[in-house]
Amino acid sequence: MLLSCRHLHLPNLILIWLLSSGVAGGTSPLCPASCTCISSDKGKRKISCLAGGLSDPIPTGQMDPRIEILEISAPENKKNWLSVTSIFQHFKQLEELYIINSNVNQISMHAFWGVPTLRVLDLSANSITTVFDHNFRGLVNLMELNLDDNRIAQLSTGAFKHLTELRTLSLQRNALKNLVARTFLKLVKLHVLKLSGNPFEELDPEAFKDIPELRTLECRGCGLRRINTQIYHLLPYLTHLDLGHNAIQFLYYDEFQDLHRLHSLKLDGNLFPVILENTFVHQQQLKFLCLARNRIAKIPDTALKNLTSLVELDIGYNKLYKVESVAFSYVAKNLQKLTLSGNNLKMDGVKSILNTLYNVRELNVAHMKFDKVSADFFPDRIQILNLSFNNFSEIYPEIFPKNLQILDITNNRISGLNASTVEYFQTLKSVNLDGNPWTCDLCHISDVFSRVNKSRLFVNATCAFPSVLKHKPLVKLSLEDIPACGHSAYTEEDLEETSRRGLFIGLVCILTFAVSSIVFVVCSCVQRHKRNAAQRDKRTRAERQENSLDTTTSLKSQISFQFPLDLTEKKLTVSTIDEIKRDERQGMSNGSIVTGL
Ligand SMILES: *[C@@H]1O[C@H](CO)[C@@H](O)[C@H](O)[C@H]1NC(C)=O
Ligand SMILES: *[C@@H]1O[C@H](CO)[C@@H](O)[C@H](O)[C@H]1NC(C)=O
Ligand SMILES: *[C@@H]1O[C@H](CO)[C@@H](O)[C@H](O)[C@H]1NC(C)=O
Ligand SMILES: *[C@@H]1O[C@H](CO)[C@@H](O)[C@H](O)[C@H]1NC(C)=O
Ligand SMILES: *[C@@H]1O[C@H](CO)[C@@H](O)[C@H](O)[C@H]1NC(C)=O
Ligand SMILES: *[C@@H]1O[C@H](CO)[C@@H](O)[C@H](O)[C@H]1NC(C)=O
């Protein structure tokens, strides 16, 4: 069949291609077993062999020679064992080659010679320990080379010198300890260099001499203690610099003076204690700045000077306890997203920052120990608000900004919500309430319970109290499960505390007024006996009444009628008239809402 194909016209070839692609994992000679041969979403001829368990040789002989994309990978538990040798020459149109998770430990000499069409080569997640310039010979059109997650410990001078069209080089999570001078020789068009996750500790500027067009440099988690600013001098076109999760201890005021074109700068997870004045005066194009998770205790007045394009600022999880809002005046015009989470700022400090930053739409104030805010605290323009990991227990619609759309209020101390708050949350685009200690009694969650299946708000909510309902999802509660108010309002600790205190007071009383207390106890016993008798009487009457009603209500309307009745019954267990009245009111409003369902 393969032979006869060669004599067919183009339309017929396409037909055959279509037919053979129809046979998934097919037996067609153009598609090896355990591979799928279908067009990619861009309409390119593509073969994917993802089932795993392949060993050498890669069955390129059974593949359509006109494929444009070849993708070989394997699931973690069924890896391939492959080598990369010169077996791709007959693919005259091959543009993208992926051999991933396949235990490739080396690339043979001139492996890609004769495949000049290749534009993307991805050999990530293999066991390659070294690469040589001859490995890549002939890849004159290669734009992207991915060698992430290998074991490359050393690169020689000019290792990639045949890849003169290369735009993106990714060497993340290898074992590189240093880069020798001229490592990137002839990569004059390189735009993106990803080096994250290699144990460099230091980068030699000599390595960066040949890539003057670089736009993006990433070296996250490289153990860097400092950066030789000569590197920045060699890379004047950098727009994205990511040096997060290193061990940089200090930023000089002129650190970034050569980087006039930066758009995004990430320095999170380092160790510097301060930002000096005027550190960013040359970054007038900077839009995104992340300084989170350092040890910054102070932001001097002019630290953010000239950051007039800044849209997003993250200074979360530092040691800020006081910030002069004048420092923020330089970024006020364009700043839209601000993260202050995890600092020791007081509420009035946050308030004055918010007053200064008059365009902020997205605010993260998680991990701030906030427990209350006044109704006008958050400016109405805020649309996205993160209040997670605070200490809010009571919330109501008035505290939230008028334009709010997305709220994260996970991991607070919210034990219940009243009807107007639940209804307000239902009008928002997204609300996350996970990780709150819902108290599953009628006082706290009856308004929630009656709406629990009407939105996705409570899909993940579980009861924290009372202990018999602990971990029970709210959506699985039935009305009979829910105890009356007060039963669960106390935590076990509270109860213990109360009983301990009671014991102490009791002892003192007995010691001091031994005789009189005995008399008192006797008297009160007599009284209580009388009262109990009266209550028992009342309860029997109520039960009788309820039974007669129950028989008249149909099963279908059970919930709507039982709600208030249920309360009537449980009311007898609460002690004061006031509470009974409150319960009655609540019962009424709940009843009407439930009936309205
Ligand atoms: C800071 O911004 C001002 C006004 O845009 C500009 O004149 C000045 O040169 C900038 N400073 C530096 C050091 O670039
Ligand atoms: C809110 O902040 C917490 C803590 O910083 C973070 O884990 C979470 O992802 C944030 N939520 C959203 C929606 O961004
Ligand atoms: C949170 O609030 C509770 C009382 O509601 C209080 O006991 C606790 O100390 C507060 N936690 C913090 C971190 O402020
Ligand atoms: C919910 O609680 C808030 C504040 O306590 C109150 O203003 C509001 O009227 C309550 N809504 C309902 C329906 O009880
Ligand atoms: C919500 O739905 C679940 C399962 O669909 C059901 O068991 C539960 O009783 C419902 N809750 C209410 C209040 O209707
Ligand atoms: C519920 O939890 C799951 C898994 O933890 C999460 O993916 C989902 O987004 C959560 N849903 C809501 C509405 O919080």
Side-chain angles (χ1 to χ4, degrees), residues 72-95:
I72 297 171
S73 186
E76 239 7 89
N77 57 0
K78 212 180 164 195
K79 285 201 175 182
N80 298 326
W81 291 87
L82 299 174
S83 27
V84 173
T85 55
S86 355
I87 49 172
F88 306 101
Q89 276 81 352
H90 67 293
F91 295 135
K92 292 297 174 220
Q93 296 166 40
L94 191 64
E95 288 180 12

Side-chain angles (χ1 to χ4, degrees), residues 260 281-284 305-306 308:
H260 295 253
V281 282
H282 302 279
Q283 277 66 55
Q284 290 172 59
K305 193 175 170 186
N306 272 20
T308 46

